[in-house]
Amino acid sequence: MPGRKEMLEIAGREVAISNPEKIFFPELGLTKIDLVRYYLAVAEGALRGVDGRPMALKRFVNGADGEFFFQKRAPTSRPEWIETVELKFPSGRTAQEIVVRDAAQLVWIVNLGCIDLNPHPVRADNLDHPDEFRIDLDPVPGVDWGQILEVAVATRDVLEEFGLTGWPKTSGSRGVHVYARLERRWTFPEVRRAAVALAREVERREPHLATSKWWKEERHGVFLDYNQNAKDRTVASAYSVRPTSDGRVSTPLAWDEVPGCEPDAFTIRTVPERFARAGDPWAGIDDAAGSLEPLLELAAQHEAVGFADAPWPPQYEKQANEPPRVQPSKKRGGPPTPEGIVPPPAPGKTVGPTGRRRTTMPLIEIARAATEREALEGLERWKAKHPDVVPHLEPPDVMVDSMRGRSTTWTRIRVNLRHVPEDERPVQEALEVDYDPWEGVEWPS
């Protein structure tokens, strides 16, 4: 039997909200219609973050606690007033993606289960030249919030020195985003090249706080994720609600708010009042477009003294000046004799924590889970079983990886026991969470 619908009059259009009382945030007791009301309360700011941009739909049809999937192609059944544009991806495929320009279109995609908004950094009228420079500050596990804020301020200072205005916001998760508006003159590879130069410059100035290293085994502190500027990457936009238990919001800030701010202060319940009282700190962002030329000149200086390109994500075509796509600990030179071992798989699994690759590190696998929350709960259970091991672990030793599945991501957790005395290292046990993203897939013979 069809669920109840609620009709809303928005921007001169009627928008149907299906199952409005469906619980979307169980711990908060908030429903789908509560999520819609949130976005209507901050619509001016949320639209500023997505206006005219193609958007990948990240759909949580069963709420924040349920599984999600990415939908790049616009639903075929949609109102005539829903705009789309054709995107071409690095794979060579194309898709019609939704473009949001008003509150009615915004609410229509929220009704599909889009808790957060994931637009591309380009406008629909110029898909080859980004106008949004995105610096994603991603902390290594164990890094405190204050260090992330220090790196955000250092990033602002470098941007200003190179002629760009930085705009900070909480990510709504573990990090901070700093955006800058660009003149629409540069291609995706050029924007990413500038992002690599920026990350390396921040690392040079703050070597104990920040890193530009792609491989997790080399990282420390806060990673400046330059690859968020590669084509086809999307980031949760301003005023996006994130699928966390407390409904955190990726919230724009003024720079004088950054020192001392707390990420859990910005939620689906608190941000509407803040927006009504203080307005949007990013109100002037579209008037602050700047030039990438100074950062591209810095990139040229880096290359002149021997810096290679930084690694690209694995799904992208290998670049001419890119270093080998192999972890530093896996690089081999001299005799072809392979080093290390292939760690054993967990009971009942066919591959272990490194797949079929060798490693010199004592790795074990803890969880393969549909969600990060489930994986982390499994990690806590494993820690409770091995309390004597936990004090030996350093933050980089716990590796939480987002893995690609069929139409969504899943989470894998591995632990490096290198700092645990050899005679105290636990063996590979059955996974605490054993999720198979490929279950039910029929592979061609």
Side-chain angles (χ1 to χ4, degrees):
M1 183 175 181
R4 187 175 74 85
K5 288 187 178 181
E6 183 168 334
M7 303 301 297
L8 299 180
E9 183 77 20
I10 304 170
R13 299 188 177 103
E14 276 199 340
V15 184
I17 308 301
S18 59
N19 301 310
E21 301 307 319
K22 187 172 187 176
I23 295 294
F24 261 47
F25 292 89
E27 293 190 26
L28 300 176
L30 296 180
T31 62
K32 182 194 280 191
I33 196 66
D34 291 322
L35 181 65
V36 168
R37 289 171 183 147
Y38 161 81
Y39 275 112
L40 288 173
V42 300
E44 179 188 346
L47 288 170
R48 184 173 289 114
V50 302
D51 183 33
R53 302 183 184 281
M55 185 183 301
L57 304 180
K58 185 181 178 183
R59 298 181 61 181
F60 294 80
V61 294
N62 292 310
D65 276 5
E67 295 186 24
F68 69 88
F69 62 93
F70 278 103
Q71 181 174 339
K72 292 184 177 181
R73 289 168 174 79
T76 54
S77 177
R78 60 182 185 267
E80 54 86 21
W81 43 266
I82 292 295
E83 181 182 344
T84 65
V85 68
E86 185 178 81
L87 264 68
K88 295 181 180 179
F89 304 115
S91 65
R93 296 181 178 180
T94 63
Q96 292 288 331
E97 289 201 1
I98 286 177
V99 179
V100 170
R101 299 185 189 273
D102 64 29
Q105 295 166 332
L106 175 62
V107 168
W108 188 82
I109 66 167
V110 173
N111 181 60
L112 295 178
C114 295
I115 292 177
D116 51 15
L117 312 176
N118 291 268
H120 293 268
V122 292
R123 310 275 184 168
D125 61 345
N126 190 340
L127 297 174
D128 296 322
H129 298 93
D131 72 333
E132 199 160 76
F133 192 45
R134 298 171 172 178
I135 300 97
D136 180 7
L137 305 183
D138 184 12
V140 166
V143 169
D144 64 57
W145 178 249
Q147 181 171 336
I148 301 169
L149 299 181
E150 287 186 73
V151 176
V153 172
T155 301
R156 174 201 63 186
D157 294 343
V158 173
L159 284 170
E160 287 184 353
E161 186 171 321
F162 286 84
L164 294 172
T165 302
W167 302 80
K169 68 181 177 74
T170 63
S171 71
S173 181
R174 300 186 306 124
V176 168
H177 299 155
V178 182
Y179 282 19
R181 281 289 189 267
L182 302 175
E183 299 165 2
R184 295 197 282 181
R185 297 164 45 197
W186 295 277
T187 62
F188 277 96
E190 289 171 319
V191 174
R192 180 190 171 278
R193 182 167 170 249
V196 173
L198 174 83
R200 287 170 170 167
E201 179 63 13
V202 174
E203 179 183 41
R204 185 187 69 80
R205 298 185 186 195
E206 302 289 349
H208 301 298
L209 299 178
T211 182
S212 65
K213 302 295 188 296
W214 172 254
W215 297 107
K216 290 187 177 182
E217 66 185 41
E218 292 189 304
R219 291 184 195 172
H220 68 277
V222 179
F223 171 52
L224 289 92
D225 190 353
Y226 50 83
N227 273 330
Q228 294 294 5
N229 294 279
K231 189 174 183 180
D232 195 27
R233 300 301 285 261
T234 60
V235 178
S237 61
Y239 295 101
S240 283
V241 182
R242 306 308 304 276
T244 59
S245 60
D246 56 355
R248 292 192 188 185
V249 170
S250 184
T251 306
L253 304 172
W255 279 110
D256 61 7
E257 295 181 290
V258 170
C261 79
E262 294 294 339
D264 57 2
F266 308 106
T267 72
I268 188 173
R269 283 180 164 159
T270 64
V271 169
E273 185 278 330
R274 166 187 163 88
F275 190 88
R277 170 175 43 83
D280 183 7
W282 282 22
I285 189 171
D286 287 323
D287 300 322
S291 172
L292 268 187
E293 289 299 340
L295 275 176
L296 290 174
E297 290 175 10
L298 178 64
Q301 294 171 20
H302 287 169
E303 290 158 9
V305 297
F307 281 76
D309 190 4
W312 286 66
Q315 68 270 31
Y316 288 78
E317 184 179 345
K318 187 78 164 59
Q319 306 298 306
N321 193 33
E322 184 185 355
R325 291 186 183 177
V326 59
Q327 292 172 237
S329 63
K330 304 284 193 307
K331 289 181 180 177
R332 301 191 184 105
T337 305
E339 297 180 356
I341 63 168
V342 178
K349 312 308 292 184
T350 58
V351 294
T354 60
R356 293 179 174 83
R357 295 175 299 167
R358 292 177 176 267
T359 179
T360 58
M361 295 294 180
L363 300 178
I364 60 174
E365 190 172 16
I366 306 302
R368 303 178 189 181
T371 66
E372 184 176 358
R373 177 180 58 80
E374 292 172 302
L376 292 173
E377 289 172 354
L379 175 64
E380 291 306 311
R381 291 195 295 272
W382 180 86
K383 287 181 177 179
K385 293 178 182 177
H386 303 284
D388 296 336
V389 172
V390 175
H392 295 289
L393 300 178
E394 297 185 4
D397 293 338
V398 178
M399 293 167 282
V400 182
D401 300 307
S402 181
M403 311 293 288
R404 286 181 175 265
R406 282 173 288 173
S407 59
T408 183
T409 58
W410 55 281
T411 300
R412 176 183 67 180
I413 294 184
R414 298 171 296 163
V415 170
N416 190 338
L417 302 173
R418 57 186 167 174
H419 295 112
V420 181
E422 191 167 352
D423 60 352
E424 298 179 25
R425 293 172 183 171
V427 299
Q428 176 68 66
E429 301 167 326
L431 299 179
E432 292 291 335
V433 187
D434 189 357
Y435 168 72
D436 182 1
W438 309 110
E439 184 177 2
V441 176
E442 295 185 5
W443 302 101
S445 58

